[in-house]
Amino acid sequence: MSTPARPEADLFIIGGGINGCGIARDAVGRGLSVTLAEMGDLAQATSSASTKLFHGGLRYLEFFEFRLVREALEERETLLTAMPHISWPMRFVLPYSPQMRFESDTPTSRLLSVTMPWLRGRRPAWLIRLGLFLYDNMGGRQILPGTKRLDLSRDAVGQPLRPGFSLGWEYSDCWVQDARLVVLNARDAAARGATIMTRTRVTHAERAEGLWRITTEGPEGTRIHHARALVNAGGPWVEDVIRNVAHIPSTEGVRLVRGSHIVVPRLYDHDRCYFFQGTDGRIIFSIPFEEDFTLIGTTDMDHRGAPGEARCSDEERDYLCAFASQYFARPVTADQVVWTYSGVRPLYNDGAKSATAATRDYVLSLHDEDAPLLNVFGGKITTYRRLAESAMAKLVPFFPQAGGDWTARVALPGGDFPVDGVSDLIAQLQASHPFLSGRLARRLVRTYGTEAFLLLNGADSMAALGRDFGAGLTEAEVMWLIRHEFAQTAEDILWRRTKLGLHMNEAQRHELEAFVEQYRIA
């Protein structure tokens, strides 16, 4: 059943991942009217399946991606300041072995094979230190500490490693809760006036009389929308939108690269991460995760199937286990794996020979005949805000009323406190709600920041928060997520708004599913 056309908008955005939501927030903050449609849940695909880091991409230096690395390094501290609840500094330990090698097709490897053939593809220690020097100094670092040399035979971080690793370095990058980042951008966009529609698929888009006429199918049935410009931020589906929704002839396309991760029970007691380099030239991270676990990833494999069908294969799981076991004294085995996830990165198809060598830089392609169409290819979660600014730079000429850049260091919901104020905020939350355990108070602040006080709404006991679904998830929190954060299913809550699915058993998860479904029916 069709419904009347919506009022005309300045921008209509297809895709509720980090790029789509970041552009929506930026645009509406400039005074433009914005509508966004996401066919599933916010961050349901690539944006909730990252390695969950704000990082410059140390290994991208080997591909001479200096602009990308510099921009990402500059962004780390800009983003930390705006979201200190969902992002925080982490220290990464890079153990060194003389057997470490480059991938054979990197520009650095090719250069050294000509100038220093005696290295035979190996990564010398001096070159790694040079890379870390560049990493420390390319991005105007002010908050994060710099690199330091480690004696792994004496430092505690060497204890979980196999014998033989004596030299290492420790450098800085940042953790981020990726799916929450997307949701908070969508929430802030909505608070500023944007219309955010989830579970709403765009089925057709065409130019008509100088506007885009967009057809959607969603909970309210078939609807027609009009917009002065269309932004295709479909992520892995960006090419499908071009060809099968907008029916635009284009030679541009994406290379779908699958990145898979495994989660195992916590492998070590300290809070630092590891950056492991393999004998095949590739790298993986080992990261403390959700207090009780260790996250290991990622792979880089060309993905041939539908983007929504990405799964961590047994081959990828075993590869990650074997890779980590080259470093850890206690081998990581498949039977330890408690969860896997896999995402498809929509990299711009630059013709690279391998998935690892394909550029991670973003490409913005503007079709400006009649009503403009902007297609977004690639991108990294670290540079989403800069990508949004670059997207608006291409679109602003069509909207002379639009304001200028404004998002740098502007807090996302819950992030309005100092970057070093997490401990103080946890203490304040416990002081005002003494019934909270330290673990629960810490999780609430790390999830909601200053909005944790609003979520608790003056409760004076755990009982006042309603039903307890397990792992500290209460009815009050569930209702907050449904009413304020676009959550509609238990999966939205357990695996994107939080990662509490890791801490709950099957019966608890089913109980939550039944509750959310009953709420939706009512």
Side-chain angles (χ1 to χ4, degrees), residues 450-465:
T450 56
E451 291 194 324
F453 294 89
L454 299 177
L455 186 156
L456 294 172
N457 194 28
D460 58 2
S461 67
M462 287 299 295
L465 297 175

Side-chain angles (χ1 to χ4, degrees), residues 12-150:
F12 190 102
I13 299 171
I14 302 174
I18 188 54
N19 290 335
C21 292
I23 293 170
R25 179 186 185 231
D26 189 307
V28 74
R30 295 172 189 259
L32 302 185
S33 55
V34 176
T35 299
L36 179 147
E38 160 57 44
M39 65 180 178
D41 182 29
L42 298 172
Q44 186 164 311
T46 306
S47 295
S48 61
S50 75
T51 311
K52 309 183 192 312
L53 300 177
F54 279 153
H55 66 136
L58 182 60
R59 73 181 182 88
Y60 301 151
L61 291 174
E62 291 182 10
F63 293 90
F64 297 167
E65 297 260 21
F66 297 117
R67 189 208 62 79
L68 174 64
V69 174
R70 184 178 63 254
E71 182 175 277
L73 290 172
E74 290 170 350
E75 278 296 279
R76 291 181 310 178
E77 297 192 4
T78 298
L79 298 173
L80 271 179
T81 305
M83 54 196 80
H85 50 329
I86 64 166
S87 181
W88 52 90
M90 298 186 88
R91 295 289 278 173
F92 287 74
V93 175
L94 194 162
Y96 177 72
S97 165
Q99 301 308 311
M100 291 171 178
R101 307 184 69 82
F102 293 103
E103 279 196 284
S104 60
D105 60 350
T106 71
T108 300
S109 177
R110 292 195 295 269
L111 177 63
L112 290 181
S113 69
V114 174
T115 59
M116 300 180 182
W118 58 87
L119 291 176
R120 297 179 181 176
R122 293 191 299 272
R123 279 186 175 105
W126 63 264
L127 189 63
I128 293 175
R129 187 63 189 91
L130 174 62
L132 288 167
F133 174 81
L134 292 174
Y135 206 71
D136 275 349
N137 292 283
M138 286 176 66
R141 177 178 51 84
Q142 295 181 342
I143 299 173
L144 301 173
T147 297
K148 71 175 185 179
R149 184 185 176 103
L150 297 177

Side-chain angles (χ1 to χ4, degrees), residues 353-390:
K353 291 182 180 179
S354 71
T356 307
T359 182
R360 265 54 179 176
D361 210 345
Y362 55 82
V363 174
L364 304 174
S365 177
L366 181 67
H367 296 242
D368 59 359
E369 56 187 72
D370 297 327
L373 165 65
L374 182 69
N375 295 310
V376 180
F377 297 92
K380 285 163 45 70
I381 197 165
T382 312
T383 52
Y384 87 90
R385 193 195 65 82
R386 294 284 286 270
L387 182 152
E389 285 187 343
S390 298

